[in-house]
């Protein structure tokens, strides 16, 4: 029952656009999570191949949450690439995400605002994050 309630609450927060979620940690302390608001974009391959700027097939937005320099992969990121770009649009971090990855620990040396990209084939999902 707790699992269903937790899933329902996460779903409600995601739908309502609330960006701050507070969840209980392993030892009972409160850990603030930030739901990253990804927006759909298109990967470069789609434009290079003369593709339409508006894809016709439906795509599910990935769900990712952040707590400091840790990203929590909730859903929709299987077999994708995570890329961080700095303000000069230089790639500063990249990682392939497989189905068994649930957490990504970004280096503590990364501080400031970055563009997070989750790349899946011709699709890109982007958001600005603060580290």
């Amino acid at each position: 029952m707790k699992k269903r309630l937790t899933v329902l609450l996460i779903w409600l927060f995601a739908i309502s656009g609330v960006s701050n979620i507070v969840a209980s940690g392993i030892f009972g302390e409160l850990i603030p999570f930030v739901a990253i608001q990804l927006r759909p974009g298109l990967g470069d391959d789609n434009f290079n191949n003369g593709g339409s700027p508006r894809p016709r097939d439906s795509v599910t937005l990935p769900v990712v949450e952040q707590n400091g320099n840790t990203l929590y992969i909730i859903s929709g990121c299987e077999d994708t690439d995570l890329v961080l770009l700095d303000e000069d649009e230089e790639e500063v971090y990249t990682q392939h995400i497989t189905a068994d990855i649930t957490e990504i620990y970004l280096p503590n040396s990364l501080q400031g605002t970055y563009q997070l990209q989750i790349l899946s084939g011709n699709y890109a999902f982007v958001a600005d994050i603060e580290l």
Side-chain angles (χ1 to χ4, degrees):
M1 184 65 179
K2 281 185 177 181
K3 194 176 210 178
R4 286 184 186 175
L5 180 60
T6 302
V7 170
L8 177 63
L9 287 175
I10 290 173
W11 182 78
L12 287 174
F13 279 116
I15 295 298
S16 67
V18 174
S19 62
N20 290 322
I21 298 173
V22 177
S24 240
I26 296 171
F27 301 108
E29 71 271 13
L30 295 179
I31 302 172
F33 286 85
V34 176
I36 297 174
Q37 302 297 318
L38 291 162
R39 58 192 181 277
L42 295 171
D44 291 335
D45 291 344
N46 200 18
F47 289 111
N48 293 337
N49 294 329
S52 169
R54 295 192 182 261
R56 294 199 170 104
D57 53 342
S58 64
V59 178
T60 303
L61 285 174
V63 178
V64 179
E65 294 179 353
Q66 176 187 4
N67 182 10
N69 279 34
T70 304
L71 299 178
Y72 297 91
I73 309 302
I74 307 300
S75 66
C77 296
E78 297 81 20
D79 198 30
T80 61
D81 291 314
L82 179 139
V83 176
L84 281 183
L85 302 177
D86 65 12
E87 56 192 29
D88 298 325
E89 296 188 11
E90 295 289 326
E91 189 175 299
V92 295
Y93 184 84
T94 185
Q95 180 171 344
H96 184 73
I97 304 173
T98 58
D100 60 333
I101 293 178
T102 58
E103 296 178 0
I104 296 175
Y105 301 100
L106 301 173
N108 288 329
S109 60
L110 296 177
Q111 301 214 354
T113 303
Y114 294 89
Q115 182 182 77
L116 169 70
Q117 296 182 347
I118 298 191
L119 307 174
S120 176
N122 290 335
Y123 299 103
F125 303 96
V126 298
D128 293 326
I129 62 171
E130 187 72 31
L131 298 176

